């Protein structure tokens, strides 16, 4: 932790804390909001439930990271048929500290859909462009300057061979200068603790970590924010914060949960969306994996927006967990993990879910309903991904369907049913959004076109909850650009 | 007492899953089984609060199920008998039985393999 962060971090909060603007949640939405407001000279307090960890505090995608930085240790699921496992960050920097940093701008057709169906104002591609560019510069979005991981190249080769569109996705990453283009380059992942949070602190923003907010209440012209400061497992201290303006940036699950706990429920937590994802472990004859494989960067967008494909983190522990769906072949991971990699097929989907608070419990209940069309899309996506992987030279495929036969030749693809079996299919997602959509359509939207909660003064949402629907691509580029746009509007600079 | 019985059953489950993987530890000075059990119990403590009691309840039911079917609670069975019970629950028609086994198996495998990687490094 830098000296500047140490100096601006509140370690023993004395109630009531007062500030002009309180920002709850320090993921991309909260960190950018706090940064831009502080840089505009506002008195800002950034509140985070998790602890402050540097990016180097643990190995990326490791068990230690799961324990340190994930909410509920990564054991979170949306209930439905089938269940969908999802993950959220719970640390300073939020989801930006635990993801791959793959970056996309919001597709223009999605922006058009949001304007038409949700009546979002001033959200054309041209209007968002300066915000995309500013955020891309701030987090160093760039393409890999050297050779991509072999497993990533396999996906690309399979797509090219079939004549399907495949692209290298840029990442938030600061690469080390290198001269050998045949080597996968090293560098530093970028995240909020590397970028916007130090900027916010340098501009005078105060940081209160380890503080869970239980509810918010408006009294007169002030927002009263009540929570608990929990620096360790042994101690807990009640905290009250008073602020004139409040930004809630806790992510697509925790933002609606906090609002609903506080009695604010209109269009809140009713329209959750996620990119449901089915995985396949592919086994090749040659080596495609290594201990320092890095993040695969190719995605196949031939069937976008319905579904797209990519390659996942494929370390031996992840491979071994994936292979629990095929217990008779688990020895293959021990013997051949270097020839194996995990691939995914992700659908945009039409399903919706909800976020609800359960009386007497701290954590919200998340439910999700996949439509018949979603299940068909998942099945078709799995078939097409398997076809691609065979084309790329895969010898054996293990889909994430419990006790489903492994696929050893293209002819086996006909065994994949038109609707994936609900009781056996294991789905996951790393993209959750749209639980408090923005727009002027009062029947659907929780907040206005710039994130102000309908019916409440000085209360704003600024995170993935605002995205009207699932964008079909990694949403963090959209979250960052829309956050910047909304904060500049708040500051009267738009 | 219930808490201890839960920990004993969870521990027995972890040991059985590790033993079934049949993989030797590379160094005699390392015995990570208890680290795995500790990780699984810590993860249980981290999971959403409304799920913690159902996991405890189902784990105790799983232990008692061994007594009903085989005359011994799961935690006191020999390994082969334990593995038969795990397999039966993994393939049970009731999804919560499969989910419980998946919960334990995923965490044990993740931690066990991570320990192996650490040791190799």
């Amino acid at each position: 932790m830098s000296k500047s962060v140490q100096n601006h971090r509140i370690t023993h909060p004395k109630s009531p804390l007062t500030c002009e603007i309180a920002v709850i949640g320090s993921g991309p939405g909260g960190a950018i909001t706090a940064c831009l407001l502080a840089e505009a000279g506002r008195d800002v307090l950034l509140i985070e439930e998790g602890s402050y960890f540097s990016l180097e505090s643990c190995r990326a995608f490791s068990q230690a990271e799961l324990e340190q930085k994930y909410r509920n240790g990564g054991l979170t699921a949306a209930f439905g048929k089938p269940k969908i496992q999802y993950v959220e960050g719970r640390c300073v920097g939020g989801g930006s500290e635990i993801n791959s940093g793959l970056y996309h701008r919001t597709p223009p057709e999605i922006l058009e859909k949001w304007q038409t169906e949700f009546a979002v104002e001033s959200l054309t591609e041209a209007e968002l462009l300066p915000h995309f560019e500013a955020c891309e510069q701030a987090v160093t979005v760039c393409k890999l300057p050297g050779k991509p991981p072999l497993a990533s190249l396999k996906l690309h080769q399979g797509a090219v061979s079939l004549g399907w569109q495949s692209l290298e996705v840029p990442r938030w990453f600061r690469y080390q200068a290198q001269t050998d283009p045949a080597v996968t380059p090293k560098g530093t992942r970028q995240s909020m603790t590397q970028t916007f949070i130090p900027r916010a602190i340098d501009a005078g923003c105060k940081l209160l970590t380890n503080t869970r907010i239980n509810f918010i209440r408006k009294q007169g012209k002030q927002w009263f924010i009540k929570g608990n400061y929990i620096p360790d497992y042994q101690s807990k201290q009640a905290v009250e914060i008073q602020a004139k303006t409040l930004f809630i940036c806790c992510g697509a699950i925790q933002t609606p949960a906090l609002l609903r706990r506080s009695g604010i429920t209109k269009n809140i937590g009713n329209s959750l969306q996620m990119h449901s994802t089915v995985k396949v472990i592919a086994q090749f004859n040659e080596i495609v994996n290594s201990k320092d494989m890095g993040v695969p960067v190719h995605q196949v967008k031939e069937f976008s927006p319905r579904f797209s494909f990519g390659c996942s983190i494929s370390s031996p522990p992840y491979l071994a967990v994936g292979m629990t769906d095929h217990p008779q072949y688990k020895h293959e991971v021990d013997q051949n993990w270097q020839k194996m990699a995990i691939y995914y097929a992700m659908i945009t989907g039409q399903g919706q879910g909800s976020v609800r608070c359960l009386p007497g419990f701290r954590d919200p209940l998340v439910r999700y309903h996949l439509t018949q069309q979603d299940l068909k899309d998942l099945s078709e996506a799995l078939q097409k991904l398997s076809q691609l992987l065979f084309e790329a030279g895969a010898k054996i495929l293990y889909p994430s369907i419990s006790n489903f036969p492994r696929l050893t030749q293209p002819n086996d693809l006909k065994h994949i049913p038109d609707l994936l079996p609900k009781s056996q299919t294991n789905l996951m997602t790393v993209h959750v959004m749209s639980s408090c959509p923005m727009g002027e359509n009062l029947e659907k939207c929780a907040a206005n076109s710039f994130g102000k909660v309908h019916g409440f003064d000085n209360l704003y949402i600024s995170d993935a909850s605002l995205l009207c629907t699932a964008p079909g691509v990694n949403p963090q580029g959209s979250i960052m650009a829309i956050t910047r746009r909304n904060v500049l509007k708040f500051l009267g600079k738009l | 007492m219930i808490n201890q019985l839960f920990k004993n059953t969870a521990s027995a489950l972890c040991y059985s899953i590790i033993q079934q993987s049949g993989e030797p530890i590379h160094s005699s000075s390392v015995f990570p089984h208890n680290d795995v059990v500790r990780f699984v119990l810590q993860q249980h403590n981290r999971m959403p609060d409304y799920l913690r009691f159902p996991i405890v309840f189902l784990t105790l039911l799983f232990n008692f199920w061994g007594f009903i079917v085989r005359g011994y609670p799961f935690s006191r069975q020999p390994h082969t008998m334990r593995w038969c019970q795990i397999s039966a629950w993994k393939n049970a028609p009731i999804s919560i039985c499969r989910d419980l086994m998946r919960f334990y198996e995923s965490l044990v495998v993740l931690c066990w393999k991570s320990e192996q990687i650490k040791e190799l490094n």
Side-chain angles (χ1 to χ4, degrees), chain A residues 265-286:
Chain A
T265 56
K266 188 166 183 224
N267 297 329
I268 303 284
N270 301 337
S271 54
L272 181 75
Q273 295 215 308
M274 49 181 70
H275 292 146
S276 306
T277 300
V278 62
K279 290 194 169 182
V280 179
I281 296 175
Q283 188 171 337
F284 295 87
N285 275 345
E286 66 272 32

Side-chain angles (χ1 to χ4, degrees), chain A residues 63 66-67 72-73 75 79 83 291 316-317 320-321 325 327 334 358 361-365 403 423 426, chain B residues 23 39 42-43 46-52 90-91 98-99 102-103 106 109-111 113-114 117 121:
Chain A
Q63 180 194 327
L66 205 66
E67 296 175 75
N72 299 120
L75 295 174
F79 289 88
K83 287 179 284 300
K291 270 195 288 184
V321 170
D325 288 324
D334 300 320
L358 297 172
F361 290 101
R362 187 193 63 183
D363 295 302
L365 174 69
N403 296 318
S423 61
N426 296 302
Chain B
E23 247 196 283
F39 172 67
Q42 284 172 348
Q43 285 292 86
R46 289 187 187 104
M47 68 191 305
D49 47 4
Y50 58 86
L51 288 176
R52 279 181 221 147
K90 273 178 79 169
N91 297 301
R98 297 194 304 269
D99 291 344
R102 189 173 176 81
F103 167 78
S106 305
V109 168
L110 178 74
C111 185
K113 290 290 168 191
S114 299
I117 294 282
N121 286 340

